[in-house]
Amino acid sequence: MILVSGANGRFGRRIVQHLIARSPAPVVGRLAVSVREPALAADLASRGVEIRHGDFDQPATLAGAFAGIERLILTTTDGPRPQRIARHRQAIAAARDAGVQHVFYVSLLDVAADSPAECAAVHREAENALADSGLAHTVLRNTLYADDLPQLAGPALNDGILALPAGEGIVSLVSRDELAQAMAAAALAPRLEKHVYELTGQVASGYAAIAGKIARVGGQPLRYAAIAEADYVAAQQQAGLPAWQASALGSLFRAVAEGRFARTSNDFAALVGHPPKSLDCMIHEYFTPRSTS
Ligand SMILES: NC(=O)c1ccc[n+]([C@@H]2O[C@H](COP(=O)([O-])OP(=O)(O)OC[C@H]3O[C@@H](n4cnc5c(N)ncnc54)[C@H](OP(=O)(O)O)[C@@H]3O)[C@@H](O)[C@H]2O)c1
């Protein structure tokens, strides 16, 4: 049986949907999820998915959540860094104790020890905990989500300036949905060629080019301005983001500025069977003005 943790989150839910779509037979008895609030997963139960209660902050829930699971897709949680590191450790220990056969861990493209990104440390710790656990596992390092672009660029369309502390860094964006598709493909694969997959788009672009494309598609002026990380973090907090989240985002863009998200790979296509959508295609999806007629 395959289990997806965090299936009420946007990413986890899409993994489940792709597992259902890719499964050659009904999923009853073969697909389960663990979530903090089982009632919110009622729609999945009606499709034959087994719903289990699992909260990484409550390790006592995890023995039952992971019992009898062969393949565990461990999605990352949100929250401040120490809390996330502790949660992932609890989940990995529980998977080992429950006898899970193989863990598929949703990591981040760059987890280098000298990365300034706070989330790089979270994922590095989890990858290390997996290695130490003795569990068979596959690491799927995700690039940045393309579908965060409307949230990033939407407010910027008002003043025409996309202000980020990303310097001249380039990044290949892929949507949550397509990254989830790759996770599902990996978990269903009879055999995997690699231990670490880098899930990226095929081309990396800078935010100046991205802003130019959004402007052309959206029909409104937009240019990129590289700003200082401290200014960005302050502006995010002023806009209502909790301090930990503003700081995590700022540090992530610093990692982009350092070129840590510049690399691309063909691993997505190797798992899914085709490359992910191009940046142009996604920008058309997100920013083409909707007709009101
Ligand atoms: N690569 C990128 O560009 C990028 C961008 C944004 C976020 N991320 C990361 O990807 C993760 C998933 O993104 P998302 O869009 O799905 O976020 P989301 O919709 O906000 O979902 C949050 C996820 O965290 C899980 N979670 C929180 N606390 C937990 C706990 N105590 N025990 C178990 N699970 C817990 C939730 O599980 P339940 O299902 O139980 O609610 C849910 O799956 C985020 O948490 C973030 O770390 C990556």
Side-chain angles (χ1 to χ4, degrees):
M1 168 141 6
I2 297 177
L3 181 134
V4 180
S5 78
N8 283 338
R10 288 166 292 179
F11 189 57
R13 181 58 61 103
R14 283 170 188 271
I15 297 173
V16 177
Q17 285 159 348
H18 282 292
L19 285 168
I20 294 171
R22 282 180 166 257
S23 290
V27 298
V28 180
R30 297 191 304 114
L31 181 58
V33 296
S34 71
V35 289
R36 289 169 300 168
E37 294 194 50
L40 298 179
D43 59 313
L44 293 180
S46 70
R47 302 192 65 185
V49 178
E50 187 178 324
I51 314 300
R52 300 180 176 191
H53 179 220
D55 185 334
F56 299 172
D57 289 333
Q58 299 177 44
T61 63
L62 298 179
F66 297 161
I69 296 304
E70 287 147 349
R71 296 179 169 214
L72 166 63
I73 302 182
L74 188 58
T75 66
T76 173
T77 79
D78 52 5
R81 176 168 53 177
Q83 198 175 32
R84 293 180 74 194
I85 289 174
R87 283 178 182 155
H88 296 155
R89 283 191 177 279
Q90 307 269 37
I92 290 162
R96 182 201 54 217
D97 294 347
V100 167
Q101 288 171 17
H102 197 110
V103 176
F104 297 80
Y105 179 69
V106 182
S107 189
L108 183 74
L109 182 56
D110 186 80
V111 294
D114 59 351
S115 169
E118 290 178 19
C119 52
V122 169
H123 292 293
R124 192 171 57 250
E125 291 281 340
E127 289 191 14
N128 289 342
L130 273 168
D132 293 345
S133 72
L135 280 158
H137 64 282
T138 303
V139 172
L140 296 114
R141 293 186 180 151
N142 284 213
T143 186
L144 302 190
Y145 296 157
D147 30 337
D148 286 341
L149 270 184
Q151 204 185 333
L152 276 183
L157 286 167
N158 294 329
D159 58 11
I161 302 173
L162 177 62
L164 298 172
E168 303 305 313
I170 58 173
V171 57
S172 68
L173 302 170
V174 179
S175 70
R176 270 182 183 79
D177 187 60
E178 288 199 294
L179 290 167
Q181 199 179 355
M183 295 300 306
L188 290 172
R191 195 169 139 266
L192 289 168
E193 301 292 335
K194 299 172 88 168
H195 171 57
V196 176
Y197 285 84
E198 294 195 335
L199 301 177
T200 72
Q202 299 221 305
V203 177
S205 310
Y207 282 97
I210 293 172
K213 286 176 190 287
I214 294 172
R216 281 193 291 284
V217 169
Q220 281 176 271
L222 186 68
R223 70 176 174 83
Y224 169 63
I227 59 167
E229 184 179 337
D231 294 341
Y232 177 78
V233 171
Q236 292 301 309
Q237 280 187 251
Q238 245 168 22
L241 232 55
W244 67 263
Q245 204 172 1
S247 142
L249 268 177
S251 71
L252 185 61
F253 283 119
R254 189 170 5 136
V256 172
E258 290 183 3
R260 294 172 182 277
F261 286 84
R263 55 184 189 275
T264 56
S265 106
N266 287 320
D267 286 354
F268 179 99
L271 286 172
V272 176
H274 58 76
K277 286 180 207 163
S278 68
L279 179 64
D280 283 342
C281 174
M282 292 187 291
I283 286 180
H284 273 282
E285 264 177 41
Y286 305 147
F287 293 99
T288 300
R290 302 273 169 254
S291 159
T292 49
S293 60

